[in-house]
Amino acid sequence: MQIFRELESNVRSYSRAFPCVFNAAKGSHLSDQDGSEYLDFLAGAGTLNYGHNHPTLKTALLDYVQADGIVHGLDMHTQAKAGFLQSLRQYILAPRGLDYKVQFTGPTGTNAVEAAMKLARKVTGRETIVAFTNGFHGVSMGALAATGNQHHRGAAGVTMGGVVRMPYDGYLGAEIDTTVFLDKAIADGSSGVDRPAAVIVETVQGEGGINACSTEWLRNLADVCQKHGVLLIVDDIQAGCGRTGRFFSFEEAGIQPDIVTLSKSLSGYGLPLAVVLFKPELDQWQPGEHNGTFRGHNLAFVTAKAAIDTFWQNTQFAQDVERKGRRLSQRLDQMATRWGRGQFDTKGRGMFQGIDCITGAMASAIARAAFEEGVVIETSGADDQVLKFLCPLTISDAELEDGLNRVEAAMKRVTQGISSWPQREVHFDIATTNQD
Ligand code: PLP
């Protein structure tokens, strides 16, 4: 631990919540250098939807490396890139009737969001982007302006402009459709809201506390955008790649966003890869106008293609995720009722769910106790008040039950005030914060 404390910046975050040195992982399991085993209910904050080191993806990767395949090629044509694009078109875009061009950006989510916002502004000639309360879109400057969290915004050091904040679904109570206000604000020349270039939205706000919008609200939002000639960007970086069941989280709503961002689980193996998908008429970039050295990495193309070929050739995987999602909600509801006493509420959809513990102190105490029970699980939300269940989608039924039993044991310990935390000698850094 000493090397991390001495050399690694204070900005480190997840490592503070899990004070051990991890050294191996397989499927839904992690192990540390002392031989302790953990079930992974964090999954790289949604990056490991297919688990750690999936054997099929690993074989594809090892074969490619063994054959001296191109690892880095800037954005030049490579066979690996062609393979990825072909699979993306054949198994993801075409079956869903989606006609999108693909832009490779720098490899993290925030790079994709930057490119999406920049393209929307360029194409429309307008500046304003509408983002929502509790939205999280990354921490580079453009994306940070669209991110709501004060902790992250506070580090900007400059005034962030170009973004107008609107209430997300449910923000003003379940009865109020907040798209009505957006519609009015755009239509009214004296609302003070300039006609936006785009609206950027997550269908489930991951970092914002697992707030899932309804399909009706999402449809209404798409209608408002269309009515006013405003582009709709769905940021599917965390909710996409099957996390809510289908490949894209907006499929149930039957909408076709103008722009979609994807990253996290796109490579399927934890290798960094990000893309922006957009309607062909929006492809108004000049060559090299939005640049970057690592725009599409060939190792990530290889595993991304293998992931699509393995999981998305038919609907079986999506159906299985939906089935597990139903079981997850059932268990979380039971847990909240059993240990609740008005303290807990459940939220989310698919395999993207959480327990709202009302206070960050309660959620963090349970997450810490769960770690003692051998589960890696994190919190999210403005006060880190939501316990976030983000296990690999490939988790077995038995592993899922096992992990949930352990989290429930942690809830029991904390709510009954018998948590003997910390049980073993561990040293936590200053208070845990969710900073992805
Ligand atoms: N957008 C969403 C919806 C996210 O959840 C995240 C990260 O959690 C990002 C963007 C930023 O991605 P990255 O951390 O890879 O920059």
Side-chain angles (χ1 to χ4, degrees):
M1 295 296 194
Q2 209 177 334
I3 185 69
F4 304 112
R5 281 203 206 94
E6 285 174 4
L7 207 58
E8 193 178 356
S9 162
N10 208 30
V11 80
R12 65 195 185 281
S13 57
Y14 288 102
S15 56
R16 298 174 189 278
F18 310 112
C20 63
V21 180
F22 294 106
N23 69 345
K26 185 99 189 120
S28 303
H29 290 269
L30 285 160
S31 54
D32 69 20
Q33 65 179 16
D34 300 328
S36 296
E37 293 271 336
Y38 306 89
L39 269 166
D40 189 358
F41 271 32
L42 173 60
T47 305
L48 295 159
N49 281 3
Y50 315 111
H52 294 268
N53 294 308
H54 189 281
T56 312
L57 278 55
K58 183 161 79 177
T59 303
L61 181 63
L62 292 177
D63 288 351
Y64 186 80
V65 172
Q66 190 65 40
D68 282 336
I70 296 276
V71 172
H72 180 82
L74 294 166
D75 74 351
M76 291 187 282
H77 297 329
T78 63
Q79 275 187 334
K81 186 196 274 190
F84 165 69
L85 286 171
Q86 275 152 3
S87 287
L88 183 74
R89 180 162 62 189
Q90 185 174 357
Y91 299 122
I92 305 295
L93 300 180
R96 291 162 180 80
L98 294 169
D99 183 15
Y100 286 140
K101 294 291 284 286
V102 182
Q103 178 183 0
F104 297 105
T105 66
T108 68
T110 203
N111 293 127
V113 170
E114 292 287 340
M117 291 171 69
K118 196 165 153 186
L119 181 66
R121 287 176 170 136
K122 179 179 161 67
V123 167
T124 60
R126 295 176 227 136
E127 181 182 342
T128 302
I129 306 269
V130 169
F132 291 97
T133 48
N134 287 304
F136 184 89
H137 301 285
V139 295
S140 54
M141 292 308 292
L144 185 58
T147 289
N149 186 292
Q150 195 50 51
H151 176 68
H152 296 113
R153 294 174 66 82
V158 294
T159 308
M160 288 170 290
V163 171
V164 164
R165 190 85 34 198
M166 287 282 160
Y168 190 69
D169 190 21
Y171 193 73
L172 300 173
E175 305 309 314
I176 296 180
D177 178 356
T178 59
T179 65
V180 174
F181 178 57
L182 176 66
D183 185 22
K184 176 91 179 163
I186 299 175
D188 178 0
S190 294
S191 69
V193 175
D194 294 330
R195 191 156 162 245
V199 167
I200 184 164
V201 67
E202 298 156 271
T203 64
V204 183
Q205 295 181 322
E207 300 311 298
I210 321 281
N211 309 314
C213 72
S214 70
T215 48
E216 193 191 350
W217 186 84
L218 193 57
R219 268 188 226 120
N220 291 347
L221 182 66
D223 287 347
V224 170
C225 286
Q226 195 173 23
K227 178 173 159 191
H228 296 287
V230 170
L231 299 173
L232 177 62
I233 305 172
V234 170
D235 181 349
D236 235 5
I237 284 167
Q238 193 160 166
C241 300
R243 178 53 57 190
T244 62
R246 320 247 185 116
F247 186 84
F248 294 106
S249 69
F250 53 80
E251 288 181 47
E252 285 90 337
I255 62 162
Q256 293 203 349
D258 300 291
I259 302 178
V260 181
T261 53
L262 287 175
S263 180
K264 288 201 186 270
S265 275
L266 183 60
S267 81
Y269 204 76
L271 295 169
L273 178 64
V275 295
V276 187
L277 309 175
F278 41 79
K279 293 185 172 165
E281 63 272 22
L282 301 179
D283 195 8
Q284 294 177 25
W285 291 117
Q286 295 299 313
E289 195 177 15
H290 189 79
N291 219 326
T293 305
F294 290 101
R295 282 173 298 137
H297 200 262
N298 285 274
L299 299 185
F301 288 145
V302 170
T303 55
K305 174 183 162 48
I308 292 173
D309 294 351
T310 305
F311 295 102
W312 297 102
Q313 290 205 27
N314 54 45
T315 57
Q316 206 178 324
F317 180 66
Q319 283 167 9
D320 201 44
V321 175
E322 282 169 19
R323 181 186 61 77
K324 282 180 203 161
R326 284 193 295 276
R327 177 61 184 154
L328 181 60
S329 1
Q330 197 181 32
R331 276 298 305 268
L332 297 192
D333 281 343
Q334 283 168 359
M335 285 155 68
T337 308
R338 201 171 289 148
W339 307 109
R341 301 177 203 102
Q343 175 71 44
F344 302 120
D345 199 5
T346 55
K347 55 206 305 207
R349 69 183 173 98
M351 289 290 274
F352 201 2
Q353 299 193 41
I355 296 184
D356 191 335
C357 306
I358 302 178
T359 67
M362 173 62 87
S364 300
I366 296 171
R368 289 176 181 199
F371 186 61
E372 280 287 316
E373 301 285 339
V375 178
V376 169
I377 188 166
E378 251 290 8
T379 56
S380 78
D383 303 314
D384 286 334
Q385 78 280 19
V386 178
L387 205 54
K388 191 179 176 200
F389 294 78
L390 219 63
C391 49
L393 307 180
T394 48
I395 193 167
S396 72
D397 292 354
E399 288 167 337
L400 182 60
E401 297 300 331
D402 183 16
L404 290 168
N405 289 343
R406 294 183 202 205
V407 177
E408 181 156 13
M411 283 175 87
K412 181 178 174 186
R413 274 169 55 196
V414 172
T415 53
Q416 295 192 337
I418 56 163
S419 174
S420 50
W421 168 262
Q423 287 180 330
R424 61 186 156 111
E425 270 297 296
V426 285
H427 300 283
F428 282 88
D429 288 342
I430 51 175
T432 305
T433 48
N434 244 357
Q435 297 184 16
D436 190 9

